[in-house]
């Protein structure tokens, strides 16, 4: 439950500040916090080059944020001063429109300056994570953030004490205050679910107790579960772990991926009674807060924060159901292409068709991406060109650099920054396009919105990045040198839709079903959860999938179920982006302008309304159907290309 997130600017800045994209490509066991370490993190090979070996144009210039450490220290002290100043405003904001406006403006400035202080500390640390001075600065910023949160906790409750009619009258009279109309509307919208001061105090006191389920599950999964040792392709012993699993499940050696999959999931199956009790506790936690705050259901409560109607989730699941025959066809295609007589769950991740990865030099990737983005128009492309030419990216891996990739935009910073670990794979090229999409979103929103709306909601966060990928894929398809290259692109795109749309919708359906079961008074036991999960998996993958008993325990392994109705956003984002990208490719009138309007809107409207600017209405089936249509076309294309390559 997140009534607190109505402190919009705060929540949006804090949560959307760092966008890393572990879900991209379908890896989904991570994504627990705004800073996500991707599944490839553990495998980072020793870097060959030091920072001194790399030309400046491929490295960040953090001097653009602060010219010196002294300047950063001064900014840090200024944030501390603003925190104190803000705290001192407690008790004043109901006096006049001017007093309320003063507090809102000070809060915005304080958070923006804090974000930039944090950005500098974190990014300089990310360049060398063994640098203890940089680590120390990062720790100091964490404490500063806690202070800022504490100093502002009085603010939303104090706003709610002023009658809404009075505040709205003030806004009619004061145009500077009227800037905050959407934010204040959002705060008052949630008022009916806020309880009396004493009740709120009691609910806050339950936090430490109710968060225990997530903590217990994390401890069990990360430290206490004993996973077996299996043999890799060369017959060497490998200790299974969550990280190892994500490597071994891609093994072309069927015995290896089978041992990894069944070995891992058997452990969850054996512990199903304990884990089901933990997950059941988490579900009851959601039910408790929903009931306490007067919501109809857990789902209703979870979607209230971002103001997403329940129909969005129902529409996603319902529309995907109608297109499940396409996923069944995909499983049948796998069976045929891979030449196996049964498709098991461990046969779904490995590429159907293997070819050596071509080397894509970074400069070539940049050229390709800039050309692929040309349909977005000159303004978009010239900003992208500037990003590549003006050290917005830190491109290559160096010793002790943070792994993975992200884009980080702060409204008052000169521009967003992107961190990469570019090794020259085709996937790395897609990552550049993806992170650039986040950067453009931050860039347009920062430049077109006042501070309170310069960030963007989680529901919209992965759309801009994925639109860039859609445009890149389309360009690569049209410029592939041969059928083989085309086949590989088609394969990657199909896998992207399978893992991000079908699989995440499947998770969302499981999550929704078990909450409904609990709300109807049914106990969630190890056996009932495995049965529910197994039935859903069978429905999604169809008659050609074989579900081993251990595979039914997968639902007990996914940490996202401790995040309260979050997985569906992966699927909706990809569908929205596919729909937008397709219209841009088709040169539909207004498509580019709509997308730019979306990028420029930040959080100035509710997430669904912001997306509507790009012509996408996530309460309707259309964006999901567009994506399903594309999936169908990709299936056909794959079959044709594969037959041609094999001389059939
Ligand atoms: Zn992303």
């Amino acid at each position: 439950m997140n009534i607190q997130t109505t402190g919009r600017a705060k929540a949006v800045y804090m949560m959307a500040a760092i966008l890393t994209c572990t879900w991209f490509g379908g890896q989904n066991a991570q994504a627990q916090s705004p800073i996500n370490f991707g599944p490839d993190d553990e495998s980072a090979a020793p870097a060959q080059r030091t920072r001194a070996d790399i030309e400046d144009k491929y490295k960040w210039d953090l001097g653009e944020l602060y010219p010196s450490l002294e300047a950063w220290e001064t900014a840090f002290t200024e944030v501390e001063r603003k925190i104190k100043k803000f705290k001192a405003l407690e008790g004043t904001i109901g006096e006049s429109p001017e007093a309320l406006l003063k507090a809102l403006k000070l809060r915005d400035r304080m958070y923006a300056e804090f974000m930039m202080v944090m950005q500098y500390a974190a990014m300089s640390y990310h360049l060398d994570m063994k640098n203890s001075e940089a680590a120390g600065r990062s720790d100091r910023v964490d404490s500063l953030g806690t202070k800022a949160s504490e100093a502002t906790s009085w603010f939303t409750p104090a706003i709610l004490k002023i009658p809404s009619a009075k505040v709205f009258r003030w806004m009619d009279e004061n145009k500077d205050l009227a800037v905050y109309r959407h934010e204040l509307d959002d705060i008052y919208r949630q008022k009916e679910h806020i309880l009396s001061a004493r009740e709120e105090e009691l609910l806050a006191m339950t936090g430490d107790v109710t968060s225990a389920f997530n903590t217990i599950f994390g401890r069990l999964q990360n430290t206490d579960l004993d996973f077996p040792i299996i043999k890799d392709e060369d017959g060497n012993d490998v200790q299974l772990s969550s990280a190892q699993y994500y490597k071994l499940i891609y093994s072309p050696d069927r015995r290896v991926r089978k041992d990894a999959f069944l070995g891992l999931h058997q452990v969850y199956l054996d512990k199903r009674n304990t884990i089901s009790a933990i997950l059941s506790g988490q579900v009851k936690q959601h039910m408790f807060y929903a009931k306490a705050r007067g919501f109809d259901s857990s789902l209703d409560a979870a979607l209230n924060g971002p103001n997403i109607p329940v129909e969005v989730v129902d529409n996603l699941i319902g529309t995907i159901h109608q297109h499940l025959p396409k996923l069944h066809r995909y499983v049948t295609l796998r069976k045929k292409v891979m030449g196996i007589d049964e498709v098991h769950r461990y046969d779904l991740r490995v590429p159907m068709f293997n070819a050596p990865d071509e080397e894509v030099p970074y400069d070539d990737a940049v050229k390709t991406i800039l050309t692929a983005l040309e349909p977005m128009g000159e303004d978009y492309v010239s900003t992208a060109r500037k990003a590549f030419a003006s050290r917005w990216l830190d491109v290559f891996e160096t010793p002790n650099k943070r792994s993975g990739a992200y884009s980080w935009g702060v409204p008052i910073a000169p521009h967003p920054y992107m961190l990469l670990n570019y090794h020259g794979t085709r996937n790395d090229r897609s990552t550049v396009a993806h992170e650039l999409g986040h950067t453009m979103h931050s860039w347009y929103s920062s430049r077109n919105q006042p501070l309170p709306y310069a960030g963007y909601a989680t529901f919209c966060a992965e759309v801009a990045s994925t639109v860039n990928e859609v445009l890149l894929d389309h360009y690569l398809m049209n410029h592939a040198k041969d059928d083989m290259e085309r086949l590989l692109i088609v394969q990657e795109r199909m896998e992207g839709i399978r893992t991000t749309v079908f699989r995440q919708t499947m998770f969302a359906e499981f999550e929704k079903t078990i909450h409904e079961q609990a709300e109807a008074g049914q106990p969630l036991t190890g056996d009932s959860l495995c049965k529910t999960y197994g039935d859903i998996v069978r429905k999604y993958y169809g008659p050609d999938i074989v579900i081993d008993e251990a595979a039914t325990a997968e639902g007990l392994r996914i940490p996202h179920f401790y995040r309260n109705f979050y997985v569906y956003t992966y699927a909706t984002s990809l569908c929205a982006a596919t729909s937008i990208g397709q219209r841009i490719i088709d040169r539909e009138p207004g498509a580019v302008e709509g997308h730019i309007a979306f990028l420029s809107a930040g959080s100035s409207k509710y997430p669904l309304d912001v997306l509507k600017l790009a012509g996408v209405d996530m309460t309707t089936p259309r964006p999901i159907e567009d994506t399903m249509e594309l999936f169908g076309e990709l299936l056909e294309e794959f079959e044709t290309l594969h037959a041609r390559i094999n001389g059939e």
Side-chain angles (χ1 to χ4, degrees):
M1 183 65 224
N2 47 5
I3 295 291
Q4 287 76 12
T5 60
T6 50
R8 259 189 117 63
K10 175 177 129 190
V12 170
Y13 289 168
M14 302 289 270
M15 296 308 290
I18 305 183
L19 295 153
T20 19
C21 316
T22 46
W23 67 284
F24 151 72
Q27 312 294 342
N28 45 38
Q30 278 73 26
Q32 284 279 27
S33 75
I35 302 179
N36 291 319
F37 288 78
D40 53 340
D41 286 356
E42 292 77 6
S43 65
Q48 302 298 318
R49 289 189 287 176
T50 65
R51 296 194 70 74
D53 298 331
I54 294 171
E55 282 180 73
D56 280 349
K57 64 176 179 175
Y58 300 118
K59 293 185 291 193
W60 284 335
D61 174 13
L62 296 183
E64 282 186 84
L65 290 173
Y66 302 101
S68 63
L69 274 178
E70 290 71 42
W72 179 80
E73 289 288 356
T74 307
F76 189 100
T77 310
E78 176 56 26
V79 174
E80 281 181 321
R81 197 184 67 85
K82 285 200 165 80
I83 289 174
K84 281 197 197 106
K85 217 170 135 189
F86 189 81
K87 183 108 184 77
L89 295 180
E90 193 169 353
T92 65
I93 62 166
E95 289 164 8
S96 67
E98 290 74 25
L100 177 59
L101 180 63
K102 185 180 166 193
L104 284 162
K105 282 187 149 174
L106 179 60
R107 178 209 59 179
D108 291 346
R109 202 60 218 172
M110 178 186 82
Y111 270 114
E113 289 175 17
F114 167 71
M115 286 306 305
M116 202 162 109
V117 164
M118 174 156 104
Q119 184 182 31
Y120 181 89
M123 291 197 320
S124 53
Y125 173 57
H126 291 161
L127 294 180
D128 178 5
M129 295 180 73
K130 287 219 169 116
N131 180 335
S132 54
E133 268 178 47
R137 280 195 297 274
S138 218
D139 288 346
R140 281 173 58 203
V141 168
D142 284 348
S143 313
L144 188 66
T146 308
K147 267 191 221 160
S149 293
E150 284 166 5
T152 49
S153 64
W154 61 271
F155 194 47
T156 302
I159 290 174
L160 287 169
K161 281 204 189 110
I162 318 171
S164 61
K166 190 171 174 185
V167 169
F168 283 91
R169 198 175 61 242
W170 283 354
M171 286 191 286
D172 290 338
E173 291 158 5
N174 184 324
K175 73 172 176 19
D176 291 332
L177 188 62
V179 169
Y180 293 90
R181 190 177 295 276
H182 173 63
E183 179 185 346
L184 291 165
D185 178 69
D186 196 20
I187 290 173
Y188 285 109
R189 175 182 67 82
Q190 301 188 65
K191 191 179 181 182
E192 60 173 312
H193 299 292
I194 295 179
L195 310 176
S196 72
R198 177 60 183 153
E199 287 167 331
E200 283 294 333
E201 196 184 350
L202 283 172
L203 279 191
M205 282 161 67
T206 61
D208 275 349
V209 183
T210 54
S211 64
F213 302 109
N214 185 21
T215 311
I216 297 167
F217 179 73
R219 294 276 158 84
L220 187 69
Q221 181 164 56
N222 297 320
T223 53
D224 283 354
L225 284 184
D226 278 327
F227 297 110
I229 291 169
I230 65 157
K231 300 266 185 221
D232 71 7
E233 292 87 347
D234 304 319
N236 302 319
D237 284 348
V238 184
Q239 171 63 58
L240 259 187
S241 64
S242 299
Q244 278 296 341
Y245 171 74
Y246 272 102
K247 279 178 228 159
L248 297 168
I249 197 63
Y250 288 94
S251 175
D253 184 335
R254 198 176 188 208
R255 199 266 312 151
V256 172
R257 58 179 196 261
K258 176 182 175 182
D259 288 355
F261 183 91
L262 296 181
L264 186 92
H265 288 96
Q266 186 64 43
V267 173
Y268 288 91
L269 187 69
D270 292 343
K271 296 278 186 290
R272 66 187 177 281
N273 294 319
T274 302
I275 301 177
S276 63
I278 306 172
L279 185 54
S280 171
Q282 180 72 22
V283 169
K284 284 181 185 153
Q285 186 231 91
H286 299 158
M287 287 163 61
F288 168 73
Y289 287 118
K291 212 168 162 185
R293 294 193 182 281
F295 288 103
D296 293 341
S297 67
S298 308
L299 180 62
D300 208 31
L303 300 187
N304 187 261
N307 200 20
I308 307 281
V310 171
E311 295 80 63
V312 169
V313 176
D314 291 338
N315 173 49
L316 172 71
I317 295 173
T319 311
I320 290 296
H321 278 182
Q322 288 172 20
H323 293 273
L324 286 178
K326 292 195 179 82
L327 187 59
H328 302 171
R329 219 175 107 200
Y330 172 86
V331 174
T332 310
L333 178 69
R334 265 197 176 263
K335 190 163 143 183
K336 183 180 158 218
V337 173
M338 292 168 74
I340 47 182
D341 48 5
E342 283 183 346
V343 183
H344 291 251
R345 287 295 316 278
Y346 47 79
D347 295 318
L348 291 176
R349 285 276 185 184
V350 62
M352 279 188 268
F353 195 85
N354 251 320
D357 207 346
E358 64 168 311
E359 167 86 18
V360 188
Y362 175 72
D363 289 334
D364 291 358
V366 168
K367 259 186 224 139
T368 305
I369 290 166
L370 287 171
T371 314
L373 294 177
E374 271 169 14
M376 279 305 300
E378 185 45 32
D379 186 59
Y380 190 94
V381 176
S382 65
T383 305
R385 208 175 289 126
K386 189 156 77 187
F388 289 119
S390 315
R391 304 179 65 183
W392 296 16
L393 299 99
D394 202 88
V395 179
F396 298 108
E397 187 182 356
T398 48
N400 310 318
K401 181 173 161 179
R402 185 198 182 285
S403 58
Y406 65 67
S407 163
W408 192 341
V410 170
I412 58 168
H415 56 76
Y417 286 81
M418 287 164 273
L419 178 138
L420 303 175
N421 279 278
Y422 192 89
H423 290 115
T425 64
R426 297 150 48 84
N427 194 40
D428 286 343
R429 176 174 57 197
S430 297
T431 303
V432 179
H434 183 100
E435 300 307 335
L436 180 67
H438 288 308
T439 288
M440 299 303 285
H441 197 175
S442 301
W443 173 263
Y444 276 100
S445 283
S446 296
R447 257 128 213 95
N448 290 285
Q449 293 299 329
L451 282 178
Y453 307 127
Y456 37 82
T458 308
F459 188 77
C460 299
E462 290 300 336
V463 174
S465 51
T466 313
V467 167
N468 270 10
E469 283 188 75
V470 171
L471 296 178
L472 175 64
D473 287 338
H474 176 77
Y475 175 85
L476 291 173
M477 274 300 282
N478 283 343
H479 294 82
K481 62 178 182 304
D482 53 25
D483 281 350
M484 183 77 83
E485 193 180 337
R486 232 167 266 130
L487 187 76
L488 292 173
I489 298 166
V490 171
Q491 172 168 272
E492 280 162 20
R493 298 188 79 186
M494 278 198 303
E495 222 4 46
I497 296 174
R498 179 186 77 80
T499 52
T500 307
V501 181
F502 285 112
R503 184 170 148 88
Q504 299 296 340
T505 305
M506 186 176 89
F507 285 162
E509 181 166 352
F510 174 68
E511 193 179 20
K512 184 167 180 272
T513 306
I514 63 173
H515 279 82
E516 283 167 357
Q517 288 172 343
E519 280 161 354
Q522 292 174 35
L524 301 178
T525 65
D527 289 338
S528 83
L529 288 169
C530 289
K531 180 174 184 321
T532 303
Y533 190 76
D535 288 349
I536 292 175
V537 174
R538 221 167 273 119
K539 176 168 71 186
Y540 273 67
Y541 286 111
D544 268 335
I545 196 88
V546 177
I547 312 280
D548 301 283
E549 198 195 357
T552 63
E554 190 185 39
L556 300 176
R557 180 176 67 81
I558 307 298
H560 290 69
F561 298 141
Y562 294 81
R563 293 194 65 188
N564 201 4
F565 294 104
Y566 175 77
V567 286
Y568 80 95
T569 59
Y570 293 132
T572 50
S573 295
L574 195 136
C575 291
T578 303
S579 190
I580 295 168
Q582 200 52 50
R583 277 177 223 191
I584 294 169
I585 289 162
D586 294 344
R587 309 223 172 238
E588 204 177 284
V592 169
E593 293 76 6
H595 188 46
I596 300 275
F598 159 73
L599 297 176
S600 305
S603 52
S604 61
K605 297 167 188 284
Y606 291 115
L608 274 186
D609 296 332
V610 176
L611 263 179
K612 279 182 191 157
L613 296 171
V616 174
D617 182 351
M618 292 313 294
T619 60
T620 69
R622 163 100 194 253
I624 302 151
E625 278 171 350
D626 284 349
T627 310
M628 291 296 102
E629 194 181 313
L630 173 67
F631 188 75
E633 286 166 14
L634 291 168
L635 268 173
E636 271 165 36
E637 181 101 28
F638 188 94
E639 284 167 339
T640 310
L641 289 167
H642 188 259
R644 210 147 69 201
I645 288 171
N646 284 288
E648 285 170 21

